Amino acid sequence: MKAYLAALFVLLVAPSGSTQAGNLDGAWAMDASTCNDIFTKVNNKLAFKQNADLHAGGLIVQGKQITGTFQKCTVKSMHDDGQNVRMVAACSDGIAISDVTFDVKLSGENTITLSSKEPVPVETPYVRCSM
C-alpha cells in the first residue's frame, strides 16, 4: 500500500488553481516536517536520501516521470477540469508494471490531495517541499 500511495503522490499543484503537468515538478511529502529527512539535492537535482523510506511518504516529480522510494511511474494521460486532474500512470516496482488511476485535487497553496478508488478508497494530502 505504501508503494501505491507513493505513486499517487507524484502530482503537483499550479499556483493559479489549476493542476497542470508542467507545474507538477518538485519534491512532495505527506508531512512537511519530514522534507529534510526525505529529500536532498545532488548536482542540483532532487534525490531521495539514503533512508528516505523510513519517513512519511514522498515523491519526486520531473516532467511526466514520478519517482517514489519504491516505484517509478510515467504519466500516460491526464484530464484537467480546472480544480481536479484524473491521471493514469504506468508504474513499475522493479518487478511488475501496472497502470494506476488517481485524482489530484488542489487543496491549498502548495498542497494537494490525492485520491483513488482502487484497490481500496484512499485519500492522502501532500505538501510541496521547498528545496
Side-chain angles (χ1 to χ4, degrees):
M1 187 63 154
K2 187 174 185 178
Y4 180 73
L5 290 176
L8 296 181
F9 176 75
V10 168
L11 308 172
L12 307 184
V13 176
S16 67
S18 175
T19 307
Q20 300 172 354
N23 296 316
L24 300 179
D25 289 351
W28 293 81
M30 293 170 65
D31 181 348
S33 68
T34 62
C35 289
N36 291 329
D37 296 324
I38 298 172
F39 304 107
T40 189
K41 279 197 171 180
V42 176
N43 296 325
N44 208 26
K45 288 186 147 190
L46 288 171
F48 287 101
K49 287 189 172 181
Q50 184 173 358
N51 292 318
D53 56 333
L54 300 177
H55 303 280
L59 295 172
I60 296 172
V61 179
Q62 297 171 318
K64 291 192 174 221
Q65 299 300 310
I66 301 164
T67 305
T69 54
F70 297 108
Q71 281 189 317
K72 292 185 180 191
C73 302
T74 301
V75 176
K76 293 172 62 174
S77 68
M78 293 180 18
H79 173 72
D80 186 346
D81 72 7
Q83 192 72 359
N84 298 297
V85 174
R86 163 81 34 112
M87 298 188 105
V88 177
C91 298
S92 171
D93 60 6
I95 297 172
I97 297 174
S98 60
D99 284 353
V100 177
T101 301
F102 52 95
D103 294 321
V104 180
K105 179 180 181 182
L106 174 64
S107 53
E109 187 174 336
N110 290 321
T111 61
I112 56 173
T113 300
L114 299 173
S115 62
S116 175
K117 293 177 179 50
E118 296 177 11
V120 295
V122 175
E123 191 170 280
T124 309
Y126 291 93
V127 297
R128 186 189 310 254
C129 298
S130 60
M131 298 297 299

